[in-house]
Amino acid sequence: DIVMTQSPLSLPVTPGEPASISCRSSQSLLQSDGNNYLTWYLQKPGQSPQLLIYLGSNRASGVPDRFSGSGSGTDFTLKISRVEAEDVGVYYCMQAMSSPATFGPGTKVDI
Amino acid sequence: QLQLQESGPGLLKPSETLSLTCTVSGGSFNSGSVYWGWIRQSPEKGLEVLGIMSYNGRPYTPSLKSRVILSLDTSKTQFSLNLSSVTAADTAVYYCVRYTGSSSRAFDYWGQGTLVSVSS
């Protein structure tokens, strides 16, 4: 199975300031079709995870443009340009390059 | 708006079989481009994909292969998970999910989750 790691595991943030989370995979997530099969999710307190970013850099429907995903191969980054109070929760990256899909351990973001 | 809702028992004894059902409403169920599946979350193992299946394809159950059975009931727009011989290690929050398959390979809809505890 592909192993996903994230850093940091805990991230204190300040509203209005940028924030960044790193995700690394044990194998390349870049497929021959040119897509990176890397997805980001946010689990807000008391809620189910929700899709933020798919294919490494595509925002899901309804996701604010302050969220952006980048990277290729084995190194990926999720950036929040200006953190808002509603962005607190645990952020997970997930690979879908090979089965089974596997998740990172999560990064807890709080203010 | 597509909605998924899990239902099933919250407490089981070791060696029993866990049976959960997910009811899908507000969207297309019989599409060949999406899959339906189950993910569980525990403090010990984090988020773990148990299996997915399409309405007309074979199920794929990477985790706990021999213990997991997935099924679909298109007439009721429901799909189910059966996990046999449960132990305390199967205690977790279980989510039913929609998976977008080959297009973007993302879990784009999640149920609210149901807590399952295994204890004697």
Side-chain angles (χ1 to χ4, degrees), chain B residues 94-115:
Chain B
Y94 286 73
Y95 297 100
C96 58
V97 294
R98 190 180 83 162
Y99 181 65
T100 57
S102 59
S103 60
S104 55
R105 301 191 195 174
F107 295 103
D108 61 348
Y109 286 93
W110 298 61
Q112 65 182 26
T114 185
L115 175 61

Side-chain angles (χ1 to χ4, degrees), chain A residues 31 41 43 48 54 92 96 99, chain B residues 41 60 95 105 107 111-112:
Chain A
Q31 190 152 322
Y41 300 86
Q43 186 171 29
S48 309
Y54 62 93
Y92 296 94
S99 295
Chain B
Q41 184 175 31
Y60 176 71
Y95 297 100
R105 301 191 195 174
F107 295 103
Q112 65 182 26

Side-chain angles (χ1 to χ4, degrees), chain B residues 18-88:
Chain B
L18 168 64
S19 295
L20 295 176
T21 296
C22 182
T23 300
V24 180
S25 60
S28 176
F29 187 73
N30 297 337
S31 170
S33 62
V34 297
Y35 297 76
W36 306 98
W38 295 90
I39 292 173
R40 69 181 181 183
Q41 184 175 31
S42 65
E44 295 77 22
K45 293 191 173 183
L47 290 161
E48 181 182 17
V49 177
L50 298 179
I52 59 173
M53 70 183 303
S54 67
Y55 85 101
N56 60 359
R58 289 189 303 176
Y60 176 71
T61 55
S63 298
L64 320 170
K65 294 178 184 179
S66 62
R67 297 172 51 212
V68 173
I69 297 177
L70 303 181
S71 60
L72 279 165
D73 185 340
T74 57
S75 65
K76 296 181 180 179
T77 65
Q78 293 179 334
F79 59 101
S80 300
L81 166 73
N82 278 272
L83 178 64
S84 61
S85 305
V86 299
T87 69

